[in-house]
Amino acid sequence: MPVPHEPARAAPMENRLYGQGARWPGPTRSVMNRYLAYGLCILLALLSLALSFHWPAWGWLAGLFGALALLGTWDLLQTRSTLRRNYPVLAHFRYGLESVGPEIRQYFIEGDTAEVPFSRQQRSLVYQRAKGVMDVVPFGSQQDVYSVDYEWINHSMAPTLVDSHDFRITIGANSTQPYSASVFNISAMSFGALSANAIRALNEGAHRGGFYHDTGEGSISPYHLEHGGDLVWEIGSGYFGCRDEQGRFSEERFVQNARLPSVKMIEIKLSQGAKPGHGGVLPAAKVSAEIAATRGVPMGHDCVSPARHSAFSTPVELLQFVARLRELSGGKPTGFKLAIGHPWEWFGIAKAMQETGLLPDFIVVDGAEGGTGAAPAEFIDHVGVPMHEALLLVHNTLVGLKLRERIRIGAAGKIISAFDIARTMAMGADWCNSARGFMFALGCIQSQSCHNDRCPTGVATQNPGRWKHLDVGDKSVRVQQFHDNTLKALRDMLCAAGLEHPQQLGPEHILRRVSPVEVRSLATLYRLLEPGELLDRIPAHAVFQQFWAEARSDAFNPPARVRALQDSKC
């Protein structure tokens, strides 16, 4: 009798997932794997305890495994971490490995040229120059000279001979107290972000080498004044060192600091590259007596840096504030630092200069690649214009208005080597600042612990148990030698290019590979405005064509067209 046809049965789930003949691990095996370490700790603790009655040395193991068993029990009972509940004891091994991950990658995995954010090659160059040891490279370049974005400077068949490497520029030539600045200086880093001994060493190094030390917005601490190094006093939105009890700008307190002999220039901080448009709060618990006295804030209260200034609210008012500070300081060069964001806001400042005739003595352009002690990840990675494009925009605007010869431009953003300085000056800067470069000179090892007060080298911490071990005398020499040897390398590079001063550098000197088969100079890669071009017409430059005509000197507000686009999304 024929057997009725039976429909085909679906393969068991474990066969479909794990292959024919395989067995599904099942919940029992999974639980055993997850709790195996915890169970072994309990078992070994009991075994060791029993053996310790006959052999006391086993008591040590009983204590060790007992502690691990208690840790596993706590993992099971706590509710904050699901990982620890599912993997008692074992989860801590993951946390341990994760905690040393950055060090493992930095010392054993990263390549010499991997910039995260600074490569081992870059750091080594600073260490060698700071220590005054041989910084030559054997056997050949580690750079891939055929990779896209590789850059170089062309040499000359008629090299020059320049004796001095002390390249300087005059800032505020028309002010009462013009300042002769080195082309390489210490960028803004506050006391509070850096330790007392780090500030001392930087300032003494600046004094030894004849270059300036920017105070950062944390104001002028006693440590900035101990060794007599030149200071640029940076004033941020918190007006630290020149504020009244309500946090508003105080002319009286400003004059007290601005007229100190060590203060050579005044810099208004509009924004910084690492976290533009973002204020900050130093919690009350961290406001020590020293920081409170330096910043002019009360102890026991949060120290707040607002996201914007209260002393001005328009481009014209900003320039009036610049002029007022210059007057109050006794005629010292006064300017501002900014990270470029919305182009129309910078254009509004430029138009205000053109309309009022009120000019800053200098502008410092801070790139988005700049560093900071702590900032939200999104701000560090995705907010603000990088230095090259920001610098070119500022330089082009001033050239187009025929104001460039009257206003000096400084620039900051991952500047470490002589080539970094040369390229930045070729793109329009008169001088360069470096923060992390001088931190490396102090001994920073890029542990990236600036935000947790556990800096292993005593540079970026307020823990006296750490920063008191930083030897000021030794590190100040390293700061001076890093500056000195970097400028010697710059001089040698300029001589090879047939030049005598870094101000002779232009975009035509720097070459960049833009594809495997194409090389272009920066002069042909970027649109450069002619002197006075903005006075006659709007140039064929995308940013200027989009925003120049509608930028306003009386407000930082977006153009009507941009506002309409914003409103259309509401």
Side-chain angles (χ1 to χ4, degrees):
M1 186 173 179
V3 178
H5 175 72
E6 295 183 2
R9 295 180 180 177
M13 178 63 73
E14 59 267 26
N15 286 356
R16 281 184 280 154
L17 292 176
Y18 298 100
Q20 186 67 31
R23 293 179 59 85
W24 180 46
T28 303
R29 185 180 301 179
S30 175
V31 170
M32 287 179 61
N33 289 338
R34 290 190 287 117
Y35 291 92
L36 180 62
Y38 175 50
L40 284 175
C41 288
I42 295 175
L43 180 62
L44 291 172
L46 295 174
L47 180 61
S48 301
L49 182 62
L51 292 173
S52 68
F53 289 109
H54 300 283
W55 295 283
W58 281 87
W60 293 100
L61 287 177
L64 172 63
F65 289 118
L68 290 174
L70 289 174
L71 178 64
T73 302
W74 172 243
D75 288 340
L76 286 172
L77 295 175
Q78 59 83 38
T79 58
R80 294 190 63 183
S81 171
T82 304
L83 183 67
R84 287 167 55 196
R85 297 187 79 181
N86 283 333
Y87 295 88
V89 180
L90 277 178
H92 295 277
F93 287 94
R94 177 192 180 275
Y95 296 146
L97 291 172
E98 188 179 52
S99 69
V100 297
E103 288 80 7
I104 295 295
R105 289 190 292 272
Q106 179 174 335
Y107 291 119
F108 301 108
I109 298 174
E110 290 173 5
D112 286 347
T113 58
E115 297 186 21
V116 281
F118 287 91
S119 70
R120 182 179 288 109
Q121 188 179 69
Q122 290 172 314
R123 300 194 305 270
S124 295
L125 181 65
V126 178
Y127 298 149
Q128 290 162 352
R129 288 180 172 166
K131 294 175 183 177
V133 301
M134 187 180 298
D135 62 352
V136 296
V137 178
F139 213 66
S141 176
Q142 295 187 46
Q143 304 291 329
D144 181 358
V145 299
Y146 294 102
S147 65
V148 175
D149 290 335
Y150 174 73
E151 293 178 321
W152 69 93
I153 183 171
N154 278 345
H155 67 281
S156 171
M157 295 184 67
T160 56
L161 180 62
V162 177
D163 293 328
S164 176
H165 59 276
D166 184 22
F167 301 116
R168 310 191 79 81
I169 52 105
T170 300
I171 304 173
N174 296 321
S175 64
T176 306
Q177 301 184 54
Y179 178 61
S180 177
S182 169
V183 298
F184 189 41
N185 302 281
I186 301 171
S187 197
M189 294 180 285
S190 299
F191 169 59
L194 298 191
S195 68
N197 277 6
I199 295 294
R200 287 179 170 123
L202 288 172
N203 194 258
E204 185 176 352
H207 179 67
R208 289 171 178 269
F211 52 100
Y212 79 64
H213 176 194
D214 193 311
T215 66
E217 69 172 309
S219 191
I220 306 168
S221 72
Y223 311 113
H224 286 97
L225 302 173
E226 287 184 8
H227 299 286
D230 290 351
L231 296 176
V232 171
W233 181 18
E234 183 179 273
I235 299 172
S237 56
Y239 306 114
F240 299 130
C242 56
R243 57 185 275 152
D244 61 18
E245 286 70 19
Q246 287 73 43
R248 299 169 302 194
F249 176 73
S250 166
E251 290 191 355
E252 180 183 355
R253 294 181 181 179
F254 170 79
V255 169
Q256 292 173 1
N257 274 332
R259 300 211 175 189
L260 290 171
S262 294
V263 175
K264 304 301 181 183
M265 300 198 296
I266 309 298
E267 177 182 279
I268 303 166
K269 173 190 164 184
L270 303 182
S271 54
Q272 71 180 89
K275 48 181 178 181
H278 188 276
V281 178
L282 187 66
K286 293 186 177 181
V287 181
S288 66
E290 286 181 312
I291 292 176
T294 296
R295 299 191 178 193
V297 298
M299 286 188 64
H301 295 82
D302 291 343
C303 181
V304 179
S305 290
R308 62 186 298 170
H309 280 262
S310 59
F312 55 86
S313 59
T314 70
V316 169
E317 289 178 1
L318 163 63
L319 297 180
Q320 291 171 342
F321 189 56
V322 168
R324 181 59 178 156
L325 296 193
R326 185 190 296 119
E327 178 185 355
L328 291 171
S329 69
K332 294 180 179 180
T334 305
F336 56 84
K337 178 179 85 172
L338 82 166
I340 294 293
H342 295 310
W344 61 81
E345 295 177 348
W346 157 243
F347 288 162
I349 296 173
K351 282 188 172 182
M353 296 180 199
Q354 179 191 18
E355 294 169 8
T356 65
L358 297 173
L359 305 181
D361 295 298
F362 65 90
I363 299 170
V364 175
V365 179
D366 207 23
E369 61 269 57
T372 182
E378 292 82 1
F379 278 78
I380 284 182
D381 292 335
H382 301 293
V383 180
V385 179
M387 183 188 67
H388 293 178
E389 288 73 18
L391 173 59
L392 276 170
L393 185 66
V394 172
H395 172 72
N396 260 339
T397 305
L398 296 180
V399 169
L401 292 174
K402 295 191 81 171
L403 295 175
R404 183 63 183 86
E405 297 302 316
R406 301 169 62 187
I407 301 172
R408 295 293 194 180
I409 299 178
K414 288 191 76 172
I415 295 172
I416 288 288
S417 70
F419 181 76
D420 295 334
I421 297 173
R423 178 185 53 210
T424 305
M425 296 188 72
M427 297 179 78
D430 291 303
W431 83 89
C432 298
N433 292 337
S434 176
R436 288 168 291 181
F438 283 99
M439 287 178 69
F440 290 139
L442 288 173
C444 168
I445 60 173
Q446 194 172 271
S447 69
Q448 296 178 283
S449 303
C450 313
H451 62 300
N452 60 23
D453 208 34
R454 294 199 296 268
C455 173
T457 58
V459 175
T461 177
Q462 295 303 305
N463 183 341
R466 293 175 181 264
W467 63 256
K468 285 187 176 180
H469 293 289
L470 190 154
D471 186 273
V472 174
D474 175 67
K475 302 307 182 188
S476 66
V477 172
R478 294 192 183 190
V479 167
Q480 182 259 323
Q481 289 185 154
F482 167 58
H483 174 272
D484 195 52
N485 289 325
T486 301
L487 289 189
K488 286 179 180 177
L490 177 64
R491 176 199 60 191
D492 294 345
M493 184 179 291
L494 291 172
C495 290
L499 306 175
E500 296 179 346
H501 194 281
Q503 283 194 295
Q504 296 174 312
L505 285 162
E508 69 278 5
H509 289 107
I510 306 298
L511 285 296
R512 180 183 297 168
R513 186 178 295 283
V514 296
S515 81
V517 294
E518 185 180 4
V519 171
R520 296 175 65 182
S521 72
L522 298 188
T524 61
L525 195 58
Y526 294 104
R527 168 71 163 90
L528 302 173
L529 270 61
E530 296 294 329
E533 188 173 349
L534 274 173
L535 301 176
D536 301 326
R537 61 187 181 278
I538 298 178
H541 184 295
V543 179
F544 286 94
Q545 292 205 331
Q546 284 285 318
F547 302 115
W548 177 257
E550 297 182 82
R552 298 168 51 184
S553 62
D554 63 343
F556 288 112
N557 298 335
R561 176 174 46 83
V562 175
R563 175 67 71 184
L565 285 173
Q566 295 173 351
D567 293 341
S568 70
K569 301 173 185 178
C570 296

